[in-house]
Amino acid sequence: MSRYEARAAEAKWQAVWDEAHAFRAEHDPTRPKYYVLEMFPYPSGRIHMGHVRNYTMGDVVARHRRALGYNVLHPMGWDAFGMPAENAAIERGVHPGAWTWANIDQMRAQMKPFGFSIDWSREFATCDPEYYGQQQRLFLDMLDAGLVARKAAVVNWDPVDMTVLANEQVIDGRGWRSGAPVERRELVQWFFRISDFSEELLAALDGLDAWPDKVRLMQKNWIGKSRGLQFRFDTRGAPAGFERLEVFTTRPDTIFGASFAAVSPDHPLARALEAEGPEIAAFVAECRRAGTSEEAIESAEKRGVDTGVRVVHPFDPSLELPVYVANFVLMDYGTGAIFGCPAHDQRDLDFARKYGLPVPTVVSATGPDFTVADTAFTDPGRLVNSRFLDGMEVEPAKVEVIARAEAGGWGEGVTRYRLRDWGVSRQRYWGCPIPVIHCPACGVVPERRENLPVRLPEDVSFDGHGNPLERHPTWARTTCPACGGPARRETDTMDTFVDSSWYFARFTAPRAAEPTVMAEAEYWMNVDQYIGGVEHAILHLLYSRFFARAMMKTGHLPEKAIEPFDALFTQGMVTHETYTTPGPDGRPIWREPSEVIRDESGARLADGTPVEVGPSVKMSKSKKNVVDPDEIVAKYGADAARWFVMSDSPPERDVEWTAAGAEAAARHLARVWRLVETLPADAPAAIPAAPGPEATALLRAAHGAIRDVSEGLEGFAFNRAIAKLYEFANAIGRATGDAPDLLAARRFALRTLAQLMAPMTPHLAEEMWATLGGDGLVARAPWPEADPAMLVADEVVLPVQVNGKRRAEIRAPAGLDAAAVEALVLADPAVLRALAGASPRKLIVVPDRIVNVVV
RNA sequence: GCGGGCGUGGUGGAAUGGUAGACACGAGGGUCUCAAACACCCUUUCCGCAAGGAGUGUCGGUUCGAGUCCGACCGCCCGCACCA
């Protein structure tokens, strides 16, 4: 008997698959296609266990679908532009391109040993001019189609990375990569007009029923639709040009509860007043200096300054309200100005209490005398103290106020979205150049399509500040495509989210001279199953949905691809325990798992130093709780790693990597191999017409496993599928007799086991399949089908409850009618004991499941 | 604050309203061995020798029957946010 040598077997089968082009996806209209895609990786240099889990999931789906007869497209590529490459250039003097391509080679080499069934012939990297040139083509087409805008905008400026960030990339006032506090700057930027699609992107979410509800909700909240009233106050005492103040509210019903108006420090009125009053100037300057970073600290306190300006209540000219500049009013939502209704908005209430403003109640659940203390009343109720609105409910009152505003010509009902246009300009080198030219005579002129790609220059230097393209001596110098005069290239490059917003479409025709090929896109789109981390729930997925629409409008995708991802699965992370030892300065020192010895008494280092075991969190270099996929493959084999990351935890949840778990996976696979090896070579393949009871039981187990594993794989319940495979293997292990019918059943069961395990452990499955005399490659074998006749048992065990408590068990032939079951139950001694002489009032018989006796 | 999700053994986790704890890890005991490794077998929710009883965060409700459905509360996790 030989031990299963995972590494040798894995290399062998990978070579066989390569040779056979087993995973090459060929356009074949006669077969149904299936497109499974995992979010492509950023080539940071090393793959980690999170990648392994992600690609294993995709591979399980791909291999299962292939076995079910689908023509599977399962590609891989590299999201290769981005800042880390430029940082490496700054820190180590390597060219970003060289650094990136070396990383790609290294990561590809790390991925190959896992045996993912990827069509590597379609591989590409987004930093390849072949790819980004097509992206420039898309940009120009979108420009022609009116989907691109160029406008001055206050942008988030990252002072560390010297770049602009999208609103979506600012997290808690800090750059999402650098973590530096973001400043405000005004620049002329390129934008994709995603906000034009707000309503469509929102409405279409309803149709994405194979997406997690959570992701759909996050996108809905991000788009942030709200209905309200936009209207104009007449002002008193305002500077020239500010005779009106336009505000937006979602609560027009509370208009009689208004006690002040407020504008953002960035509002034009605030800027105008800044010039006139030192108090306002000081406050505005302070707000601006505080920027976004200290807002968190100040967030508890609402502050403002009375401008001296007054506004007139639109329904009562005798009512005047003070206008404040207030730090809690945002310039980029609504009009940058509000009216404050303290009784029914907590922020307004806090502000009003601080500055002694009145708090009139206008909505009440109890009556007109209701007053508000420190908590604003935001529940439903009826309008009070509101003249013509009195007695109305909130929603009809909103409608009424909007109607009167529109009739009076001083306001209108509007729908607003939180979603803003997508600013794509980045002042960086390592990105896709924006293919336009600035001509002193003609203005902004698109580059000619025949001149694409606009390539990045190779000879650049990096010192970490500003944009190397802008400082390059010659690159930007060009001639105007329109007039032929001297002109300058745009030196901004595109946000890397652009690169990942259409790569899924490019995979359908990765070498084409156009961005896509309609016939290929028509056949392969949509992505049937998309798999990735929930951290991309908003940005990447929303941008991709926008791009699919843009590509449809510009003729690069068929109409059916308007929503490019039919089904989405967001997988959990791979976590690991964290280890620390006390450092000399009292601060803990992180320790790598390989340094730590775990036993029943706890954890220590090799020299005996006690180790503090921390919670299991996402693997990260900073906490040193990483395990290296290379080492795992060397130690346990790829199949064991694949098996382990798919077992135990449901795929949407985090899985904790433990050495014990990985070892157990490897042990189980070795055991499965022994089951194959202990089958006598001359065991018959043909199952006799009437197998004995033991053989029948094993065959039933095999068909049950086919049903349960199939269900598990289809429903993304990989952990349950694997549990069934354990059970099935255990059942085979128990069937040790050497009767010919049992040996034949065992051969069948083991072949079935090989097929069912193949999506998870493809190499071991090939080895088993070959040894058991299977036909061809198991990777190409059709998925087994369960025989319905083998799924029904002859006899069932029925638990018997008395008043809902389990008291007995009876055995009965399957499908026995209720009357016969009742007779059996009432004759059972345990039931009689539990009844203690009482007579049953009612008997509930759930056929073949349970009996409940009600006393 | 708003929105969403989740609370089950020592651990990860199973359970279309129908025998709670599948499967695995860990632990304990045993067989094999001179010994170890490997492997195999048994036990492993709690109390109890047993018969039996209790048990899915807490309290109520619906139901013949609730981990599952409903209500309230407690705790944890995720997302969003001066969004007017």
Side-chain angles (χ1 to χ4, degrees), chain A residues 529-543:
Chain A
Q529 183 66 59
Y530 197 32
I531 306 172
V534 73
E535 67 272 19
H536 290 112
I538 298 175
L539 305 181
H540 163 60
L541 291 169
L542 192 63
Y543 293 155

Side-chain angles (χ1 to χ4, degrees), chain A residues 672-700:
Chain A
V672 168
W673 177 246
R674 275 198 308 280
L675 291 176
V676 173
E677 285 237 314
T678 49
L679 180 74
D682 59 356
I687 296 161
E694 265 193 288
T696 304
L698 184 56
L699 293 172
R700 283 191 195 285

Side-chain angles (χ1 to χ4, degrees), chain A residues 302-382:
Chain A
K302 316 281 180 264
R303 297 170 59 234
V305 176
D306 188 347
T307 59
V309 177
R310 296 289 175 265
V311 291
V312 180
H313 195 283
F315 286 115
D316 185 348
S318 71
L319 264 174
E320 290 194 356
L321 308 175
V323 178
Y324 283 76
V325 178
N327 63 351
F328 66 93
V329 181
L330 298 177
M331 188 57 219
D332 47 9
Y333 188 81
T335 60
I338 62 159
F339 75 78
C341 175
H344 307 292
D345 182 289
Q346 192 60 47
R347 284 157 314 170
D348 296 350
L349 181 61
D350 294 345
F351 190 82
R353 290 292 184 222
K354 186 174 172 74
Y355 295 101
L357 295 158
V359 184
T361 306
V362 289
V363 182
S364 168
T366 49
D369 298 332
F370 174 69
T371 57
V372 158
D374 292 326
T375 308
F377 180 78
T378 54
D379 295 339
R382 284 181 187 278

Side-chain angles (χ1 to χ4, degrees), chain A residues 26-148:
Chain A
E26 306 281 3
H27 186 148
D28 178 358
T30 66
R31 294 171 64 205
K33 66 88 192 182
Y34 193 89
Y35 183 2
V36 55
L37 183 66
E38 301 95 65
M39 291 179 185
F40 68 163
Y42 177 77
S44 58
R46 306 285 300 168
I47 70 167
H48 51 71
M49 292 311 296
H51 290 124
V52 172
R53 192 178 192 209
N54 189 207
Y55 306 134
T56 300
M57 262 177 223
D59 202 42
V60 168
V61 173
R63 287 176 179 272
H64 181 223
R65 290 290 164 170
R66 221 174 265 120
L68 287 171
Y70 289 94
N71 189 18
V72 170
L73 173 58
H74 185 211
M76 179 60 64
W78 309 95
D79 189 13
F81 274 135
M83 281 192 348
E86 222 159 317
N87 292 341
I90 294 161
E91 286 158 23
R92 277 173 275 161
V94 269
H95 188 275
W99 183 86
T100 302
W101 286 109
N103 284 349
I104 289 172
D105 287 342
Q106 193 174 335
M107 289 175 75
R108 190 193 305 105
Q110 281 186 294
M111 281 168 69
K112 291 252 174 159
F114 282 93
F116 300 128
S117 64
I118 287 165
D119 179 359
W120 286 102
S121 74
R122 290 176 186 254
E123 176 190 358
F124 61 74
T126 57
C127 64
D128 191 324
E130 293 289 318
Y131 182 84
Y132 71 69
Q134 299 301 334
Q135 185 163 302
Q136 291 167 342
R137 164 73 191 274
L138 288 178
F139 182 92
L140 295 181
D141 289 354
M142 286 166 72
L143 190 62
D144 287 349
L147 296 165
V148 179

Side-chain angles (χ1 to χ4, degrees), chain A residues 202-512:
Chain A
L202 178 67
L205 286 172
D206 287 338
L208 298 176
D209 41 26
W211 282 39
D213 289 340
K214 179 184 170 176
V215 172
R216 291 197 284 176
L217 184 71
M218 283 164 72
Q219 293 220 347
K220 181 175 177 241
N221 291 341
W222 192 263
I223 295 168
K225 181 179 183 172
S226 59
R227 176 81 186 157
L229 171 67
Q230 186 164 322
F231 71 95
R232 292 157 295 279
F233 280 116
D234 288 328
T235 61
R236 297 272 187 274
F242 293 96
E243 288 76 21
R244 305 261 190 285
L245 178 66
E246 183 139 35
V247 302
F248 175 70
T249 178
T250 55
R251 291 295 302 272
D253 56 303
T254 63
I255 190 148
F256 289 103
S259 66
F260 66 96
V263 300
S264 159
D266 292 319
H267 193 276
L269 175 60
R271 291 181 180 224
L273 292 168
E274 207 176 350
E276 295 179 15
E279 200 196 351
I280 293 171
F283 180 73
V284 167
E286 193 191 324
C287 287
R288 221 165 271 155
R289 198 169 343 105
T292 44
S293 67
E294 283 182 40
E295 269 186 18
I297 305 161
E298 295 252 67
S299 68
E301 200 186 3
K302 316 281 180 264
R303 297 170 59 234
V305 176
D306 188 347
T307 59
V309 177
R310 296 289 175 265
V311 291
V312 180
H313 195 283
F315 286 115
D316 185 348
S318 71
L319 264 174
E320 290 194 356
L321 308 175
V323 178
Y324 283 76
V325 178
N327 63 351
F328 66 93
V329 181
L330 298 177
M331 188 57 219
D332 47 9
Y333 188 81
T335 60
I338 62 159
F339 75 78
C341 175
H344 307 292
D345 182 289
Q346 192 60 47
R347 284 157 314 170
D348 296 350
L349 181 61
D350 294 345
F351 190 82
R353 290 292 184 222
K354 186 174 172 74
Y355 295 101
L357 295 158
V359 184
T361 306
V362 289
V363 182
S364 168
T366 49
D369 298 332
F370 174 69
T371 57
V372 158
D374 292 326
T375 308
F377 180 78
T378 54
D379 295 339
R382 284 181 187 278
L383 274 290
V384 293
N385 308 319
S386 296
R387 306 187 188 187
F388 55 84
L389 298 173
D390 282 351
M392 292 175 87
E393 299 208 4
V394 167
E395 288 307 318
K398 287 181 182 174
V399 172
E400 177 65 21
V401 171
I402 290 172
R404 289 190 185 225
E406 288 177 346
W410 50 268
E412 46 282 319
V414 293
T415 300
R416 286 202 167 271
Y417 300 88
R418 205 186 80 112
L419 183 67
R420 270 160 252 151
D421 280 340
W422 174 15
V424 295
S425 290
R426 295 293 181 274
Q427 292 66 45
R428 305 204 69 87
Y429 167 76
W430 195 232
C432 173
I434 295 174
V436 298
I437 287 155
H438 299 275
C439 171
C442 313
V444 174
V445 184
E447 177 60 282
R448 292 185 189 185
R449 283 169 173 75
E450 60 265 32
N451 292 340
L452 299 182
V454 176
R455 287 172 185 266
L456 289 168
E458 290 290 317
D459 53 330
V460 276
S461 60
F462 297 90
D463 61 9
H465 300 292
N467 180 0
L469 288 181
E470 200 170 6
R471 292 177 305 134
H472 190 282
T474 56
W475 182 78
R477 268 188 229 154
T478 187
T479 50
C480 172
C483 70
R488 263 185 83 77
R489 290 195 181 285
E490 171 66 64
T491 56
D492 285 354
T493 53
M494 292 183 214
D495 180 6
T496 57
F497 273 103
V498 179
D499 312 338
S500 55
S501 293
W502 71 286
Y503 77 110
F504 50 87
R506 183 68 180 170
F507 275 135
T508 65
R511 308 285 174 249

